[in-house]
Amino acid sequence: MTSSEPDGRDGAAATGTVPTEAGATANTASGNVANGAGAAEAPVLTRRRQLGSPSARSLLLTLLGEFVLPRDEPVWTQVLLNALGELGVEQKSGRQALARTAAEGLLCSDRAGRRVRWLLSEMGRRLLSTGAERIYSFGTATEPWDGRWLVLLVSVPESRRQLRHRLRSRLAWAGMGTPAPGVWLSARPDKQHEVAEVVTELGLDKVSSSFVGAFGRIGHERELVAQAWNLADVETDYREFISVFSAADPLTPRAVLREQVQLVHAWRRFPFLDPQLPAQLLPGGWAGTQARELFHDRHEHWAGAAGAHWDQLCAGIT
């Protein structure tokens, strides 16, 4: 799910691709990155805005990934606008989101008289498929940690701020943390190939070096983790996610679809926020485990009714 490098927070968050701006948000796991070094039918809960208020384009991409991609069938403009309308998006904003997504090459149009229907382009299918894999497999790794660290040393002049920002965002997405300027680390040595690609794509391979090894006798690993990542903020987001969606109880198919979309929207940020550290490096009672179980439970439980409502929306526009 990558369009080589999506431009902006909405595209990255909505599709689960490499983000280029999300590194500037307040609650990213790497603290140095963030700092530059009826009840069922009611509107979205106010607290949910803390999990990320979705834009029209973000919601559209979620609809495409959840309902259009699996069916691989064209969908009329009005179906997408109606579904977005049920999510609180005005028609004008919905049409703008459609136009922007099509202009980026993610959608192809097919005109029938005055009406238009949309189909995912090859790039759109690839983008959404890769993102779905990343979102739904996030947090499922079970291999024990062998105690080795991947350490990257890379230097970018302060004057090249855009490049520094892109590097920070890409490395943070890969789960890297930065305990000091120019130093990045991960408890996942298997990320070395991914990190090498980032460095090469950004033209920094000549000013970078890396090594893999165990922690030495000097210092303490937990202190290093605290310097490299702001896990407290990540856990706060996880607990907010749990609070919101454990209480969700949609009573109609329309409400279920809305909750399903909001669930995916809220969850898809966590692959960027959470570095997925080994259990022995995490605080006791880490909320990420419960949040992951809740996400998969709710998503599976709501999938049938949400999909049926989507099919009903499609059947109503022929």
Side-chain angles (χ1 to χ4, degrees):
M1 200 178 191
T2 172
S3 67
S4 80
E5 185 167 322
D7 181 18
R9 187 182 314 172
D10 287 342
T15 60
T17 54
V18 177
T20 61
E21 294 182 11
T25 60
N27 287 337
T28 188
S30 175
N32 290 334
V33 174
N35 297 324
E41 293 290 338
V44 176
L45 295 172
T46 301
R47 284 191 305 173
R48 191 169 296 169
R49 299 186 186 281
Q50 297 179 26
L51 296 174
S53 182
S55 68
R57 181 173 177 274
S58 174
L59 291 172
L60 173 62
L61 289 171
T62 301
L63 288 171
L64 294 175
E66 283 292 299
F67 305 110
V68 177
L69 176 66
R71 290 161 174 78
D72 196 26
E73 296 177 349
V75 57
W76 294 108
T77 299
Q78 196 57 49
V79 172
L80 293 170
L81 294 179
N82 288 348
L84 288 170
E86 293 186 1
L87 295 165
V89 177
E90 295 181 356
Q91 287 226 352
K92 180 180 178 180
S93 297
R95 291 185 183 279
Q96 290 173 342
L98 264 173
R100 179 182 172 189
T101 304
E104 291 172 345
L106 305 183
L107 288 172
C108 301
S109 63
D110 176 29
R111 184 172 293 277
R114 299 181 60 184
R115 298 197 302 167
V116 175
R117 57 184 181 179
W118 301 91
L119 188 66
L120 289 170
S121 66
E122 181 59 35
M123 183 173 73
R125 282 193 295 271
R126 185 173 65 250
L127 181 88
L128 292 171
S129 297
T130 304
E133 170 64 23
R134 186 179 290 264
I135 290 169
Y136 298 124
S137 66
F138 171 70
T140 58
T142 57
E143 292 185 7
W145 185 45
D146 63 5
R148 295 186 304 154
W149 291 87
L150 167 63
V151 180
L152 172 71
L153 306 179
V154 56
S155 177
V156 181
E158 178 64 32
S159 59
R160 302 190 66 184
R161 293 191 175 184
Q162 184 176 8
L163 178 59
R164 286 168 62 90
H165 173 71
R166 292 177 66 194
L167 176 67
R168 288 196 303 266
S169 297
R170 297 285 297 276
L171 292 180
W173 174 252
M176 303 284 285
T178 173
V183 180
W184 291 83
L185 65 139
S186 170
R188 296 274 305 277
D190 59 317
K191 291 279 188 178
Q192 189 166 196
H193 179 70
E194 180 181 351
V195 170
E197 285 187 341
V198 170
V199 169
T200 300
E201 288 173 10
L202 297 181
L204 296 170
D205 45 313
K206 293 183 179 180
V207 293
S208 304
S209 57
S210 68
F211 56 90
V212 173
F215 196 83
R217 295 183 178 181
I218 302 173
H220 302 278
E221 281 183 309
R222 284 191 175 274
E223 292 180 2
L224 181 67
V225 167
Q227 293 167 7
W229 292 281
N230 190 345
L231 295 181
D233 279 355
V234 179
E235 183 147 43
T236 295
D237 282 350
Y238 272 135
R239 295 199 180 281
E240 187 66 25
F241 178 91
I242 293 168
S243 175
V244 169
F245 290 103
S246 61
D249 185 25
L251 302 178
T252 67
R254 175 178 178 177
V256 172
L257 183 143
R258 185 172 62 241
E259 289 294 335
Q260 184 83 316
V261 171
Q262 295 290 352
L263 178 80
V264 174
H265 168 76
W267 180 252
R268 67 189 172 213
R269 299 180 314 122
F270 287 112
F272 178 75
L273 298 176
D274 185 350
Q276 297 190 74
L277 294 173
Q280 54 265 53
L281 297 178
L282 293 171
W286 177 243
T289 303
Q290 182 183 353
R292 182 180 67 252
E293 293 173 354
L294 177 65
F295 169 75
H296 288 290
D297 176 76
R298 290 290 190 266
H299 190 271
E300 181 179 356
H301 182 66
W302 291 336
H309 185 61
W310 173 264
D311 291 337
Q312 186 177 16
L313 288 173
C314 293
I317 305 295
T318 57

